[in-house]
C-alpha cells in the first residue's frame, strides 16, 4: 500500500469521525422533543433534506458506482439512519401543519433517491453512471454546506456569536477539510469540490468567531437575533457545546454531509 493510499484512508477515517459528530449534534434537541412530547417551534425541514443528501452520497460511494469511496458510504449510510430517526420523531410529535410539511418532504426524498438509484442502475453504465450519481450527490452537498450562510449573516449583523457555537463551526471545518483532502488524494472531483466549499465556509465561520468571540449576545432588554426571526445553530452535547437554556425559536444546522 503506497503513501497516498494510506493518507487517503487516514483522512477518510478522520472524515467519518468528524461527520459522525455533526450528525449527532441535534440529539440535544430531540431529547427535549421526546421529553416534552412536542417539537415546539423547531423546524423539521433540515432533516429530510439532510437524509436525501446522505442517501445520495452513500449511493455514490458504493463500489459499483465509484471506486475507493467505501468510507463515504459508511458515514453517509450511518447518517441516513440517524436522519431517518429524526424525521420519524418529527412525524410523531410535530403539530399537524409541520407534520404535513415534513411528510411531504420525506416523500419527495424517497422519490428523488429512488429515481436516481433506478436510473443509474437500469439505464446508465460506467463513467456515465458515476457522473450522474456524483453530480446529484454534489448538488445537495453544496446546498447542505451552504445552509450556515444565514447564521453567518446574523453574526455579522448583530456582531455576536451567541448563536454560532465554536465547536460546531470547528467540526464543519474539520469535516469539510478531511473530505476535501480525501477527494484530492482519490482524484475524485465530486468529493473534493463540494467539500472544499464546505471547508471554506467552516473557515469563514471560525474567522467570524475570532472577530466577535467577546460578544456573546445583547445585554440590553432588546430581543435577541433568534427571537427576531434569526436562526440559532444547534448546540449539541456531542460537539462539546452547552445547550441554550431558554425558549428561543431555533433552527438546526444540517450536520454536514459526511464526505460528499
Amino acid at each position: 500500500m503506497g503513501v497516498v493510499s494510506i493518507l487517503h484512508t487516514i483522512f477518510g477515517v478522520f472524515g467519518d469521525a468528524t461527520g459522525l459528530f455533526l450528525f449527532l449534534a441535534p440529539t440535544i434537541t430531540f431529547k427535549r422533543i421526546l421529553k416534552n412530547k412536542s417539537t415546539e417551534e423547531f423546524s423539521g425541514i433540515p432533516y429530510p433534506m439532510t437524509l436525501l443528501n446522505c442517501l445520495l452520497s452513500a449511493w455514490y460511494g458504493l463500489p459499483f458506482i465509484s471506486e475507493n469511496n467505501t468510507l463515504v458510504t459508511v458515514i453517509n449510510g450511518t447518517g441516513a439512519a440517524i436522519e431517518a430517526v429524526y424525521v420519524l420523531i418529527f412525524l410523531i410529535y410535530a403539530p399537524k401543519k409541520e407534520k404535513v410539511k415534513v411528510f411531504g418532504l420525506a416523500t419527495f426524498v424517497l422519490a428523488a433517491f429512488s429515481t436516481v438509484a433506478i436510473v443509474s442502475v437500469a439505464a446508465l453504465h460506467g463513467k456515465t453512471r458515476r457522473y450522474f450519481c456524483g453530480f446529484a450527490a454534489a448538488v445537495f452537498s453544496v446546498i447542505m454546506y451552504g445552509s450556515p450562510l444565514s447564521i453567518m449573516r446574523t453574526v455579522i449583523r448583530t456582531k455576536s456569536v451567541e448563536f454560532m457555537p465554536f465547536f460546531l463551526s470547528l467540526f464543519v471545518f474539520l469535516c469539510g477539510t478531511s473530505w476535501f483532502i480525501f477527494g484530492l488524494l482519490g482524484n475524485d472531483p465530486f468529493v473534493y469540490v463540494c467539500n472544499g466549499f464546505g471547508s471554506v465556509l467552516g473557515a469563514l465561520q471560525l474567522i467570524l468567531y475570532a472577530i466577535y468571540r467577546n460578544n456573546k449576545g445583547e445585554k440590553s432588554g432588546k430581543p435577541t437575533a433568534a427571537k427576531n426571526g434569526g436562526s440559532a445553530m444547534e448546540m449539541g452535547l456531542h460537539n462539546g457545546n452547552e445547550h441554550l437554556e431558554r425558549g428561543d425559536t431555533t433552527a438546526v444546522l444540517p450536520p454536514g454531509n459526511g464526505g460528499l
Side-chain angles (χ1 to χ4, degrees), residues 14-15 17-19 21-22 145 148 164-178 198-210 233-234 238-241 253:
F14 189 67
T18 53
F21 272 99
L22 290 175
Y145 268 133
M164 192 175 74
F166 171 75
F167 282 102
L168 191 56
S169 298
L170 177 62
F171 277 111
V172 168
F173 171 72
L174 292 177
C175 185
T177 302
S178 297
S199 177
V200 170
L201 281 180
L204 290 176
Q205 290 179 52
L206 293 176
I207 291 172
L208 285 177
Y209 196 93
M233 295 176 70
E234 179 56 35
H238 293 274
N239 59 24
N241 295 289
L253 167 72

Side-chain angles (χ1 to χ4, degrees), residues 23 44-58 76-88 102 105-110 113 140 144 254-256:
F23 285 130
I45 294 177
Y47 306 107
M49 298 310 294
T50 304
L51 173 61
L52 177 57
N53 178 57
C54 288
L55 289 172
L56 290 173
S57 296
N76 282 287
T78 302
I82 293 172
E83 296 301 321
V85 172
Y86 293 158
V87 171
L88 180 60
V102 173
L105 282 173
T107 302
F108 164 75
V109 164
L110 294 177
F113 172 67
F140 280 94
M144 293 298 99

Side-chain angles (χ1 to χ4, degrees), residues 58-155:
W59 182 259
Y60 175 75
L62 292 173
F64 63 89
I65 302 294
S66 64
E67 297 179 355
N68 302 318
N69 283 322
T70 302
L71 289 171
V72 172
T73 295
V74 170
I75 186 58
N76 282 287
T78 302
I82 293 172
E83 296 301 321
V85 172
Y86 293 158
V87 171
L88 180 60
I89 292 175
F90 247 88
L91 289 176
I92 294 173
Y93 293 111
K96 185 176 180 180
K97 184 177 180 180
E98 185 72 11
K99 187 176 296 186
V100 171
K101 185 187 302 181
V102 173
F103 180 78
L105 282 173
T107 302
F108 164 75
V109 164
L110 294 177
F113 172 67
S114 298
T115 300
V116 170
I118 292 173
V119 169
S120 64
V121 171
L124 303 175
H125 305 279
K127 289 185 177 180
T128 304
R129 174 188 291 171
R130 179 191 172 197
Y131 292 158
F132 174 72
C133 294
F135 182 77
V139 167
F140 280 94
S141 293
V142 170
I143 292 174
M144 293 298 99
Y145 268 133
S147 61
L149 290 175
S150 61
I151 191 63
M152 291 168 66
R153 187 166 55 246
T154 299
V155 170

